[in-house]
Amino acid sequence: MRRSYFIPALSLLSTLSSAAPSAPQWSFNLKEATSGIVALESIVVSPTLTIFFNRPSVDPLQFNNHSALGALWDLKTSSVVKPLNVISNTFCGSGALLSNGSMVIRHYHLVSVGGDSGAGVANAGNQAIRIFEPCLSPTGEDCTLFENLETHHLFERRWYASSIRIFDGSLMIVGGTHVTTPFYNVDPVNSFEFFPKKEGAPRPSPFLERSLPANLFPRIFALPDGRVFMVANNQSIIYDIEANTETILPDIPNNVRVTNPIDGSAILLPLSPPDFIPEVLVCGGTATDTIDSELLSTQTPASSQCSRIKLTEEGIKAGWQVEQMLEGRTMPELLHLPNGQILITNGGSTGFAAIGSVADLVGGSNADNAVLTPSLYTPSLPLGRRISNKGMPTTNIPRMYHSSITLTPQGNFLIAGSNPNGNTTMTGVKFPSEFRVETLDPPFMNAERPKLVSVPKKLAFGQKVSVPISIPRGLRTQDIKVSLMDLGFSTHAFHAGARLVFMDATISPGRDLLTFTTPPNGRVYPPGPATIFLTVDDVTSEGAWVMMGSGASPPTLQ
Ligand SMILES: *[C@@H]1O[C@H](CO)[C@@H](O)[C@H](O)[C@H]1NC(C)=O
Ligand SMILES: *[C@@H]1O[C@H](CO)[C@@H](O)[C@H](O)[C@H]1NC(C)=O
Ligand SMILES: *[C@@H]1O[C@H](CO)[C@@H](O)[C@H](O)[C@H]1NC(C)=O
Ligand SMILES: *[C@@H]1O[C@H](CO)[C@@H](O)[C@H](O)[C@H]1NC(C)=O
């Protein structure tokens, strides 16, 4: 059952374009340059640069005569700036920016990949932590990765863990497995730890015990009161870091599981003043409790269920509200748009994450039937009417296991990667290793946009800030939104750390001055780098890259 790439899109496009010939549309745009490595992880590290990481393989981009494990991608020129010198294995890691702007990436370090993977990476040590210092050069010349496996490492070996920045600007690292696993989590690390370390040992987690065996890459969010929401398998909790207690929340309804290898995805919906009431949305995954992967199929339908819960006392009592996407989705990714909508994209409509484990593989893939048309979820609409793909374009590039996507400071989405194979595989499979890079461009990318003329580089919490702006004629200033965003870290169908906090804002009568109020504290927006976007009449500006808080090294409360 192959999906038709273009018929519905074409007929829709012709109707729209005859009605309004110049109205800009959503579009996918293929870049001329390729990513050089499979972009299985992606994080924006400066206003102009994104880092891609891959595992050791035989990708074309070389560093010291072996395939590079990391690459810096220039968002302005849409090309690879340079391969990064990565000493240890990057496979299945996670990362985030700290309160001082350094990017920390936590990777399991394989003990003996080097030679036989063709990658030639050094092998000593494990539990690697890498630091990418804030990178000031717009073109990345002086931007390097720091690794010292002796001094910077975790308590535990963790493969497939998730990491987020928390209220004091440090990194919290959750779960994972000690060893590479063919499918389920067979050697779990059911604990949490922090970077920098807060204590002498990891914290055991009953939640991770309960959510075995499908609890890899747990979906975790820093809540606006400093606690952390977590969902894994079909279970969810709120974890209190300061009290070291967990509050059990209702299961995801209808037997649906949502974490690796049964990947759905999850997102913290935008937080709005004055109360910043948190709500979590979880979409896709699969309704199965089959443990034996040999009994699962690439054709097993993925769930179309989206479940949403409000994390207040009444909201938790009311439980998860359920509605359906237009199709089932395994390995979807959910991302914020600066206007508060959620993009649902990537993945397939049948099968599972991981490689080479189910009975009827498609090449190496455990999944099939790529979903090629994104949808938009509008949180403010009534239940059952929130999801639509009206006006959304269709791509012809599947983004299956080991793909990534990120919102950029320019306001569009950068999509790369996909490789559901055990190695770099270019031919003979339905889903080859993917080096093509696309952007998904919202209509405003082709319109005259509002502009944040200048924004201070550093902003304090709870502060009123006025900045010069310009607004194109024709845009109505009754409808303005100012969003403070963490662009997150994308891997394995989860955008860890992604966050959107709306700020109260007004525009001067002359339309040339914007005044907004920053979040009250680091619980609402963990101190660290942020991107500010101004949306006027649903047309979004380019983002301004700022440091929210003092820029001090963690732990810091400002
Ligand atoms: C890479 O290979 C070339 C050709 O074999 C050789 O001249 C060069 O010294 C090598 N560079 C490194 C860094 O090993
Ligand atoms: C990947 O392919 C290369 C080139 O064919 C080969 O040398 C290497 O052993 C393969 N690696 C794995 C992990 O199969
Ligand atoms: C969650 O999973 C457990 C274990 O498979 C199962 O017993 C329970 O019924 C599931 N919960 C829901 C709401 O489906
Ligand atoms: C940021 O903090 C981390 C953790 O303490 C530290 O390793 C890193 O060097 C710091 N970076 C800067 C630029 O101060």
Side-chain angles (χ1 to χ4, degrees):
M1 227 186 35
R2 255 186 94 84
R3 163 173 261 282
S4 154
Y5 290 157
F6 41 78
I7 293 157
L10 258 190
S11 54
L12 180 65
L13 206 71
S14 54
T15 329
L16 286 176
S17 55
S18 60
S22 61
Q25 307 286 322
W26 280 88
S27 59
F28 278 104
N29 288 295
L30 182 65
K31 302 301 157 193
E32 226 165 89
T34 57
S35 53
I37 61 173
V38 170
L40 86 81
E41 297 160 12
S42 161
I43 178 170
V44 176
V45 290
S46 85
T48 54
L49 297 167
T50 295
I51 300 184
F52 296 141
F53 288 106
N54 192 20
R55 60 188 160 157
S57 53
V58 286
D59 293 352
L61 185 68
Q62 299 286 301
F63 183 85
N64 281 356
N65 293 347
H66 62 74
S67 289
L69 295 178
L72 263 185
W73 176 267
D74 188 323
L75 294 163
K76 294 279 191 188
T77 61
S78 290
S79 59
V80 167
V81 179
K82 62 171 184 182
L84 286 174
N85 180 13
V86 181
I87 303 169
S88 51
N89 190 348
T90 44
F91 194 19
C92 297
S94 58
L97 299 169
L98 296 175
S99 56
N100 60 13
S102 286
M103 195 270 285
V104 166
I105 180 148
R106 186 223 44 76
H107 279 126
Y108 179 83
H109 181 74
L110 268 186
V111 176
S112 63
V113 226
D116 64 11
S117 71
V121 290
N123 294 314
N126 52 26
Q127 298 122 272
I129 288 257
R130 304 190 172 78
I131 313 257
F132 187 84
E133 298 298 353
C135 170
L136 301 177
S137 152
T139 50
E141 283 93 20
D142 57 348
C143 304
T144 51
L145 210 55
F146 166 79
E147 289 177 272
N148 182 337
L149 304 175
E150 307 270 288
T151 54
H152 288 66
H153 56 83
L154 300 177
F155 289 118
E156 290 269 9
R157 286 174 293 144
R158 293 176 189 269
W159 191 311
Y160 298 82
S162 292
S163 313
I164 51 166
R165 185 169 77 246
I166 59 169
F167 65 90
D168 67 2
S170 348
L171 197 66
M172 178 178 190
I173 303 131
V174 175
T177 163
H178 289 112
V179 294
T180 178
T181 170
F183 197 62
Y184 284 123
N185 191 352
V186 291
D187 186 2
V189 195
N190 288 332
S191 64
F192 315 139
E193 59 182 290
F194 301 89
F195 178 80
K197 288 182 167 50
K198 291 196 184 302
E199 54 240 338
R203 300 184 182 187
S205 165
F207 161 71
L208 290 171
E209 294 287 341
R210 288 194 305 276
S211 55
L212 285 170
N215 71 359
L216 296 171
F217 284 111
R219 279 50 168 143
I220 56 178
F221 305 105
L223 296 178
D225 62 3
R227 297 183 299 165
V228 175
F229 170 88
M230 305 187 185
V231 54
N233 200 334
N234 69 347
Q235 323 238 330
S236 64
I237 61 160
I238 294 175
Y239 177 70
D240 187 325
I241 295 172
E242 289 148 299
N244 190 18
T245 53
E246 62 172 47
T247 304
I248 297 181
L249 305 179
D251 291 356
I252 303 288
N254 303 318
N255 212 32
V256 174
R257 329 263 149 184
V258 298
T259 42
N260 187 283
I262 314 182
D263 279 351
S265 198
I267 194 164
L268 180 66
L269 294 179
L271 298 168
S272 299
D275 297 324
F276 305 101
I277 292 170
E279 291 191 72
V280 168
L281 178 72
V282 179
C283 295
T286 310
T288 180
D289 43 19
T290 304
I291 295 291
D292 184 355
S293 67
E294 281 290 318
L295 299 177
L296 299 173
S297 162
T298 50
Q299 308 306 311
T300 305
S303 172
S304 58
Q305 178 171 295
C306 282
S307 314
R308 171 167 161 178
I309 194 166
K310 188 185 274 191
L311 299 176
T312 57
E313 212 172 303
E314 321 81 77
I316 292 168
K317 219 174 272 165
W320 295 90
Q321 289 185 321
V322 167
E323 66 199 289
Q324 304 301 321
M325 293 184 286
L326 306 174
E327 60 284 290
R329 287 185 185 254
T330 177
M331 301 176 281
E333 209 164 316
L334 306 184
L335 296 100
H336 302 106
L337 267 67
N339 72 358
Q341 288 182 297
I342 306 296
L343 178 73
I344 307 175
T345 190
N346 291 7
S349 65
T350 63
F352 298 88
I355 290 167
S357 15
V358 305
D360 57 343
L361 298 175
V362 175
S365 179
N366 288 337
D368 198 5
N369 297 297
V371 182
L372 300 169
T373 308
S375 286
L376 288 176
Y377 176 97
T378 307
S380 55
L381 289 178
L383 182 70
R385 304 234 305 267
R386 295 171 182 150
I387 302 168
S388 164
N389 64 7
K390 189 158 173 274
M392 295 307 282
T394 298
T395 178
N396 58 8
I397 306 179
R399 301 292 179 177
M400 307 296 276
Y401 199 51
H402 289 161
S403 56
S404 63
I405 174 170
T406 183
L407 177 66
T408 72
Q410 288 66 40
N412 58 358
F413 296 95
L414 180 73
I415 305 174
S418 187
N419 186 19
N421 304 291
N423 203 338
T424 309
T425 306
M426 298 313 293
T427 54
V429 290
K430 183 169 175 185
F431 303 115
S433 304
E434 191 54 71
F435 298 99
R436 286 176 291 177
V437 177
E438 293 164 289
T439 52
L440 173 58
D441 295 343
F444 57 71
M445 293 301 286
N446 295 306
E448 227 194 314
R449 302 166 70 180
K451 196 167 175 184
L452 293 160
V453 176
S454 78
V455 177
K457 292 250 171 301
K458 203 182 267 188
L459 297 173
F461 289 102
Q463 194 188 29
K464 231 177 200 186
V465 183
S466 293
V467 301
I469 54 169
S470 69
I471 299 177
R473 233 179 265 269
L475 296 185
R476 295 166 307 135
T477 52
Q478 289 90 320
D479 174 21
I480 66 162
K481 295 191 176 92
V482 182
S483 43
L484 181 75
M485 298 183 71
D486 188 318
L487 307 180
F489 180 101
S490 169
T491 195
H492 289 79
F494 180 48
H495 222 75
R499 194 176 199 79
L500 192 169
V501 178
F502 282 122
M503 300 192 284
D504 276 329
T506 53
I507 284 180
S508 64
R511 295 161 61 110
D512 56 359
L513 199 68
L514 171 72
T515 302
F516 59 84
T517 306
T518 59
N521 55 53
R523 293 175 190 257
V524 174
Y525 189 94
T531 306
I532 296 179
F533 293 93
L534 166 64
T535 302
V536 179
D537 207 4
D538 218 26
V539 177
T540 299
S541 70
E542 282 206 19
W545 186 267
V546 301
M547 173 60 77
M548 192 62 242
S550 65
S553 294
T556 175
L557 292 179
Q558 302 164 35

